C-alpha cells in the first residue's frame, strides 16, 4: 500500500496560502489589542454567527476529527449519539438557561463564575484542573499535527543544535508551535476565534468531495447498508440491550451517561467552548451562539462519521486495506481520514483536504491555549499571584502566558509521543474531574441555598467516586491498569464506552447527593443580594432584543430541537 | 472587533477557488488524473463552489458596504 502522499506544487501553494492568511489575520488584529479584555475576551464584541461557528470548531480538533472517524468504523451509526443526544440538548440548555448567568454576571471565565457563586476554593480547584487539562489537549493536537505532517511531507532532517537532535517530527512540532504562538500573541482570543471560523469552512469544503466520491464508490446509501452489519446502520434500534449493538451500551447508559452527564458536563461547563459564547457582542448574541453552532453540528457526522463507515464497508468488500497499528495485528482506525484522502483526492483538492485537516489540528491547539490564557491570567495570576495591578500589566501577563502555554504544550506533545499510557491516564483523570461538575452547576444555578463548602466537597467526592468506580470495573478483554480494575474486579462492561458512561453516572450522582446533603448541614454564607444574577430565582428574566420573532433564542431552540428529533427518527 | 472576518475568509476562498477552477479547466479530460476520483473533475467542482462562496463573503463584508457608502 502507498504510504506517502505525492503532493504537487499546487497542493503546496494551497497549504502555503492558508498559512499566510492565518498569520495575516493575527497581524491585522494586532492594533486592536489595547487592553486585557480585548486580548482575553475578544472585547465581547463578536457577532453571533462568528462565535457560533467557533463554538463547534473549538471542539473540532484532532481528537474529534480522528476519533469520530475511527468511531464511525467501530460503532457505525451509533456514533451519531455523540452529536444528537451527546451535544444538542446540552447546547439548547446552555443557550436558554445557563448563558444568562455566564454572560450576565461579571464573570470573565467559568472558574470566576464559581468564585462569585460559591467561594475561592471551588474556583481554585476548577481553575487548576482546567489549566492542566487545556495544555494537555493542546499538546495532543500538536502531536497529531506533527505526526500528520511528517507522513504527508517527508523531509530529510537530521540536525544537531547545541547537542539536541532535531528530526522531522521535532521540526514540524516546532514550526506549528511557532505559527500558533505568533498569531495568538498578536491577536489573542479574536485570532483564535477567527481562525476557528476559517477552519470550519475549510473542513466542510475540503471533506465534502471525499464523502461524495466515497459514497459513489460503495454504491450510495444502499451500498453502505449492503456491506455493513445491520446493527451499524441504526442509532437506536439496537439500543435495547448492550450485547446487541457495537457500542456495548444500552439505552439508559446512552441517555443518562452520555446524553445527560457527559454532554452537559462538557458543553455547559467547559470554558473552552463557553468562552466562545462569552465573546459575543450582546446577551442575545451570546445565547444564540450555541444554537447557531448546533445547526452545523447536526450535519458534521456526514463529514466525520460517514468516512469511517465508508472505510469499513470498503474493507468488507475487499477493495481497501486499512493499515495495522504499529507492531500489532489490530486495525488502526485512526488512519481512516488520511487513507481516504490519499485514495480519492487528485492534486489540487488533496492540498485542500490536507489544509482542512491541519487547520483543525492547529486551531485545536490555539483554542486550548486561548482558554488557558484567560483562566491563568484572571483566575490564577490575578487571584493568587499578583492582584490589584493595572490593566496594562494583565495584558502583558496574558501575552506572556501565551508563550508559556505554547511551551508547556510542546512538552505535553512529547509526553503524548513517548508514553501512550500516560495519555490514557490523563484523559481519565480529566473525565473524573469533569463528570461531577455539572451537578455543582445544576444545584448552584437553580437552588439558591447551595453553599460553597457543599459545592467544593461535592466536586471532590464526585471525583473520588469516579476513580473508585473505575478502579473496580474493566471493559471486556482489558487487563487491570489504566483501563480500570486497579482496586480489584467487581464488574465487567461490554466496552470501554459503557464503562466511561457508567463512571460518569456514578460521579455525577455522588456529587449531586453530597452537595445536597452538605448544603443542608452548612450555613449559607452569601446573601440573596450577592447571588443576584448568579442564581435562577434571584435573577430578573432577560428581555430579548431580537428584531424578528424567528431570531429569538427560544424559537431557535425549538427549531434546533425539532431538526435533531427528526434526524434521530430518520436514522433510528 | 475592528476587522470584519468576512474579508479574510472571502479573499482566501476566492484565491483558492480561482486556483482550483483554473487547475480543473486545464486538466479537463485528463482521465488518468481523475481516475482515482472515479472520473469526476473534482478540482473544477470544488473550485467553483469556493469561488462563489468567497465572492459572496466579500460582497457582504464591510469592504463592499463602505465603498457603496462613498459613492
Amino acid at each position: 500500500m502507498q504510504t506517502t502522499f505525492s503532493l504537487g506544487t499546487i497542493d503546496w501553494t494551497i497549504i502555503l496560502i492558508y498559512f499566510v492568511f492565518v498569520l495575516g489575520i493575527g497581524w491585522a488584529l494586532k492594533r486592536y489589542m489595547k487592553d486585557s479584555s480585548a486580548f482575553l475576551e475578544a472585547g465581547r464584541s463578536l457577532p453571533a454567527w462568528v462565535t457560533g461557528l467557533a463554538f463547534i470548531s473549538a471542539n473540532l480538533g484532532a481528537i474529534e476529527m480522528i476519533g469520530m472517524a475511527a468511531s464511525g468504523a467501530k460503532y457505525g451509526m451509533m456514533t451519531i449519539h455523540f452529536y444528537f443526544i451527546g451535544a444538542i440538548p446540552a447546547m439548547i440548555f446552555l443557550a436558554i438557561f445557563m448563558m444568562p448567568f455566564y454572560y450576565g454576571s461579571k464573570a470573565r471565565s467559568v472558574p470566576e463564575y464559581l468564585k462569585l457563586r460559591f467561594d475561592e476554593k471551588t474556583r481554585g480547584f476548577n481553575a487548576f484542573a482546567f489549566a492542566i487539562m487545556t495544555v494537555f489537549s493542546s499538546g495532543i493536537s500538536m502531536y497529531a499535527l506533527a505526526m500528520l505532517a511528517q507522513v504527508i511531507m517527508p523531509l530529510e532532517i537530521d540536525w544537531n543544535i547545541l547537542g539536541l537532535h532535531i528530526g522531522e517530527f521535532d521540526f514540524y512540532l516546532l514550526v506549528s508551535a511557532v505559527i500558533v504562538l505568533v498569531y495568538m500573541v498578536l491577536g489573542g482570543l479574536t485570532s483564535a476565534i477567527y481562525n476557528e471560523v476559517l477552519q470550519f469552512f475549510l473542513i466542510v469544503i475540503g471533506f465534502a468531495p471525499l464523502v461524495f466520491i466515497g459514497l459513489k464508490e460503495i454504491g450510495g446509501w444502499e451500498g453502505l447498508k449492503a456491506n455493513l452489519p445491520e446493527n451499524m446502520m441504526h442509532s437506536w434500534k439496537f439500543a435495547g440491550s448492550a450485547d446487541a449493538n457495537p457500542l456495548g451500551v444500552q439505552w439508559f447508559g446512552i441517555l443518562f451517561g452520555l446524553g445527560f452527564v457527559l454532554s452537559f458536563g462538557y458543553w455547559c461547563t467547559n470554558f473552552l467552548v463557553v468562552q466562545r459564547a462569552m465573546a459575543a457582542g450582546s446577551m442575545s448574541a451570546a445565547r444564540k451562539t450555541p444554537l447557531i453552532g448546533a445547526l452545523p453540528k447536526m450535519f458534521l457526522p456526514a463529514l466525520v462519521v460517514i468516512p469511517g463507515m465508508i472505510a469499513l464497508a470498503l474493507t468488507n468488500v475487499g477493495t481497501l486495506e486499512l493499515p495495522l497499528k504499529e507492531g500489532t495485528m489490530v486495525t488502526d482506525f485512526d488512519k481512516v481520514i488520511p487513507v481516504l484522502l490519499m485514495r480519492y483526492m487528485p492534486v489540487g483538492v488533496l492540498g485542500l483536504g490536507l489544509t482542512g485537516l491541519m487547520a483543525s489540528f492547529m486551531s485545536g491547539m490555539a483554542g486550548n491555549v486561548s482558554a488557558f490564557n484567560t483562566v491563568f491570567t484572571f483566575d490564577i495570576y490575578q487571584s493568587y499571584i499578583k492582584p490589584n495591578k493595572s490593566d496594562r500589566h494583565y495584558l502583558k501577563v496574558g501575552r506572556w502566558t501565551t508563550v508559556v502555554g505554547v511551551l508547556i504544550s510542546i512538552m505535553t506533545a512529547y509526553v503524548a509521543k513517548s508514553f501512550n499510557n500516560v495519555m490514557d491516564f490523563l484523559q481519565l483523570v480529566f473525565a473524573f474531574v469533569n463528570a461531577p461538575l455539572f451537578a455543582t452547576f445544576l444545584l448552584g444555578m437553580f437552588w439558591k441555598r447551595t453553599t460553597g463548602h457543599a459545592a467544593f466537597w461535592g466536586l471532590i467526592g464526585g471525583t473520588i467516586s469516579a476513580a473508585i468506580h473505575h478502579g473496580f470495573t474493566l471493559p471486556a478483554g482489558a487487563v487491570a491498569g489504566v483501563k480500570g480494575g486497579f482496586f480489584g474486579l467487581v464488574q465487567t462492561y461490554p466496552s470501554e464506552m459503557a464503562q466511561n458512561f457508567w463512571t460518569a453516572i456514578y460521579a455525577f450522582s455522588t456529587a449531586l447527593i453530597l452537595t445536597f446533603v452538605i448544603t443542608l448541614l452548612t450555613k449559607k454564607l452569601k446573601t440573596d443580594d450577592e447571588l443576584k444574577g448568579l442564581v435562577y430565582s434571584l435573577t430578573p428574566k432577560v428581555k430579548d432584543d431580537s428584531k424578528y420573532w424567528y431570531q429569538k433564542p427560544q424559537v431557535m431552540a425549538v427549531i434546533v430541537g425539532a431538526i435533531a428529533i427528526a434526524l434521530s427518527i430518520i436514522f433510528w | 472587533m475592528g476587522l470584519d472576518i468576512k474579508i479574510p475568509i472571502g479573499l482566501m476562498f476566492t484565491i483558492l477557488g480561482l486556483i482550483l477552477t483554473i487547475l480543473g479547466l486545464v486538466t479537463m479530460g485528463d482521465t488518468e488524473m481523475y481516475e482515482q476520483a472515479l472520473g469526476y473533475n473534482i478540482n473544477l467542482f470544488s473550485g467553483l463552489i469556493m469561488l462563489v462562496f468567497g465572492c459572496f463573503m466579500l460582497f457582504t463584508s464591510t469592504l463592499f458596504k463602505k465603498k457603496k457608502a462613498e459613492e
Side-chain angles (χ1 to χ4, degrees):
Chain A
M1 205 195 77
Q2 189 191 359
T3 48
T4 50
F5 289 80
S6 39
L7 292 190
T9 322
I10 306 244
D11 298 313
W12 284 105
T13 315
I14 292 173
I15 294 173
L16 198 73
I17 290 174
Y18 167 70
F19 284 115
V20 168
F21 270 90
V22 166
L23 294 173
I25 288 175
W27 178 77
L29 285 170
K30 185 177 179 280
R31 60 198 179 103
Y32 302 109
M33 297 298 130
K34 292 205 171 80
D35 52 34
S36 68
S37 166
F39 190 73
L40 298 168
E41 299 178 280
R44 290 203 168 191
S45 62
L46 302 178
W49 72 271
V50 172
T51 52
L53 290 180
F55 188 85
I56 55 160
S57 274
N59 181 52
L60 196 58
I63 297 169
E64 177 166 346
M65 289 301 290
I66 295 173
M68 286 298 150
S71 296
K74 280 190 268 186
Y75 312 124
M77 245 1 205
M78 302 276 300
T79 312
I80 65 169
H81 286 309
F82 287 93
Y83 292 81
F84 292 100
I85 201 76
I88 305 302
M91 287 177 170
I92 292 175
F93 187 81
L94 173 67
I96 302 298
F97 296 104
M98 291 177 75
M99 220 50 229
F101 308 123
Y102 279 140
Y103 197 88
S105 70
K106 287 183 190 73
R108 293 164 298 181
S109 67
V110 168
E112 195 164 59
Y113 172 84
L114 288 173
K115 148 90 176 148
L116 294 173
R117 173 61 187 87
F118 298 115
D119 53 15
E120 197 58 67
K121 59 179 179 297
T122 313
R123 179 242 285 262
F125 180 70
N126 184 245
F128 279 100
F130 183 77
I132 297 169
M133 188 163 80
T134 46
V135 288
F136 271 96
S137 308
S138 143
I140 296 176
S141 271
M142 229 167 178
Y143 162 74
L145 182 65
M147 289 302 271
L148 175 77
Q150 71 174 355
V151 174
I152 58 178
M153 309 176 254
L155 283 177
E156 289 295 320
I157 290 183
D158 194 5
W159 297 338
N160 206 319
I161 300 169
L162 301 170
L164 279 174
H165 170 79
I166 306 269
E168 49 180 359
F169 175 85
D170 314 277
F171 174 77
Y172 282 121
L173 194 70
L174 291 177
V175 169
S176 58
V178 167
I179 293 173
V180 167
L181 181 67
V182 169
Y183 82 76
M184 288 294 296
V185 166
L186 287 172
L189 178 62
T190 319
S191 235
I193 288 179
Y194 278 15
N195 279 299
E196 279 154 12
V197 177
L198 204 63
Q199 166 219 347
F200 173 80
F201 289 120
L202 267 175
I203 285 181
V204 172
I205 293 180
F207 280 40
L210 184 87
V211 177
F212 173 76
I213 297 176
L215 276 177
K216 278 279 169 202
E217 187 184 356
I218 195 73
W221 195 251
E222 289 306 315
L224 203 59
K225 236 168 149 174
N227 293 300
L228 288 175
E230 205 201 345
N231 65 4
M232 286 187 89
M233 294 302 292
H234 294 274
S235 59
W236 285 110
K237 198 176 172 189
F238 295 90
S241 91
D243 306 320
N245 67 67
L247 199 61
V249 191
Q250 87 289 42
W251 65 271
F252 179 79
I254 296 173
L255 214 57
F256 197 65
L258 173 67
F260 188 63
V261 179
L262 284 175
S263 99
F264 281 74
Y266 181 81
W267 293 101
C268 300
T269 68
N270 191 312
F271 184 53
L272 172 64
V273 288
V274 174
Q275 184 179 32
R276 270 72 201 147
M278 286 168 86
S282 68
M283 172 68 92
S284 172
R287 295 181 78 194
K288 276 182 234 163
T289 297
L291 298 170
I292 290 173
L295 285 169
K297 180 83 184 167
M298 289 188 276
F299 298 95
L300 279 182
L303 295 179
V304 290
V305 179
I306 302 284
M309 294 170 65
I310 293 172
L312 185 70
L314 289 174
T315 320
N316 290 346
V317 175
T319 52
L320 176 76
E321 205 179 319
L322 283 170
L324 299 176
K325 269 190 188 152
E326 233 169 280
T328 66
M329 293 301 287
V330 186
T331 309
D332 189 359
F333 289 117
D334 288 353
K335 299 260 160 63
V336 162
I337 297 275
V339 164
L340 289 185
L341 278 175
M342 222 147 62
R343 183 182 178 90
Y344 295 129
M345 300 287 105
V347 167
V349 275
L350 176 63
L352 188 66
L354 291 175
T355 308
L357 209 53
M358 278 196 271
S360 141
F361 295 175
M362 196 116 104
S363 64
M365 273 157 78
N368 278 291
V369 170
S370 69
F372 171 80
N373 247 349
T374 310
V375 165
F376 181 85
T377 309
F378 290 149
D379 292 297
I380 296 176
Y381 186 84
Q382 194 177 25
S383 310
Y384 303 115
I385 301 173
K386 275 195 176 161
N388 306 321
K389 288 273 181 181
S390 69
D391 188 71
R392 268 180 69 97
H393 180 78
Y394 294 121
L395 173 62
K396 219 165 124 189
V397 170
R399 282 224 160 91
W400 279 105
T401 310
T402 313
V403 180
V404 174
V406 170
L407 285 178
I408 303 175
S409 305
I410 295 179
M411 275 156 49
T412 54
Y414 279 106
V415 173
K417 188 180 182 237
S418 19
F419 313 100
N420 249 325
N421 275 335
V422 171
M423 240 29 249
D424 281 349
F425 177 70
L426 281 161
Q427 277 181 333
L428 206 65
V429 174
F430 303 147
F432 294 172
V433 174
N434 263 351
L437 200 57
F438 185 62
T440 312
F441 274 89
L442 205 58
L443 286 173
M445 282 183 169
F446 297 99
W447 189 34
K448 63 175 184 178
R449 176 80 176 77
T450 317
T451 65
H453 292 307
F456 180 74
W457 292 109
L459 274 179
I460 303 275
T463 305
I464 294 171
S465 84
I468 292 176
H469 174 264
H470 193 80
F472 280 115
T473 56
L474 263 181
V479 283
V482 180
K483 304 277 179 208
F486 38 80
F487 292 142
L489 191 60
V490 175
Q491 196 180 353
T492 311
Y493 288 106
S495 72
E496 218 170 296
M497 281 300 169
Q499 188 197 22
N500 287 346
F501 292 1
W502 281 101
T503 299
I505 292 173
Y506 275 95
F508 174 83
S509 313
T510 310
L512 195 76
I513 295 166
L514 264 183
T515 311
F516 181 79
V517 172
I518 299 176
T519 292
L520 295 178
L521 298 175
T522 46
K523 235 175 87 185
K524 184 171 163 230
L525 295 172
K526 299 231 170 190
T527 62
D528 278 4
D529 211 38
E530 282 175 301
L531 294 178
K532 221 172 150 187
L534 302 168
V535 180
Y536 192 76
S537 59
L538 299 172
T539 308
K541 271 221 165 139
V542 273
K543 272 229 169 80
D544 194 74
D545 53 359
S546 300
K547 221 164 147 191
Y548 304 101
W549 63 272
Y550 57 83
Q551 290 180 332
K552 286 196 185 305
Q554 288 85 344
V555 178
M556 284 180 68
V558 171
I559 294 171
V560 167
I563 299 175
I565 291 170
L567 285 169
S568 297
I569 293 171
I570 292 172
F571 297 105
W572 187 268
Chain B
M1 213 35 66
L3 171 73
D4 183 3
I5 193 193
K6 285 182 173 178
I7 298 169
I9 291 181
L11 275 177
M12 192 178 94
F13 277 93
T14 307
I15 295 171
L16 293 184
L18 268 177
I19 293 175
L20 287 185
T21 308
I22 293 168
L23 178 70
L25 287 174
V26 172
T27 55
M28 201 129 76
D30 187 342
T31 42
E32 201 184 324
M33 179 174 172
Y34 292 110
E35 198 192 334
Q36 63 181 133
L38 309 182
Y40 290 99
N41 189 333
I42 204 79
N43 283 326
L44 186 63
F45 288 132
S46 298
L48 285 174
I49 293 172
M50 289 168 81
L51 199 56
V52 170
F53 175 71
C55 291
F56 170 79
M57 276 287 165
L58 280 181
F59 286 137
T60 53
S61 72
T62 51
L63 202 68
F64 202 74
K65 273 180 202 151
K66 263 181 207 154
K67 269 187 192 156
K68 241 183 180 174
E70 278 163 22
E71 273 167 16

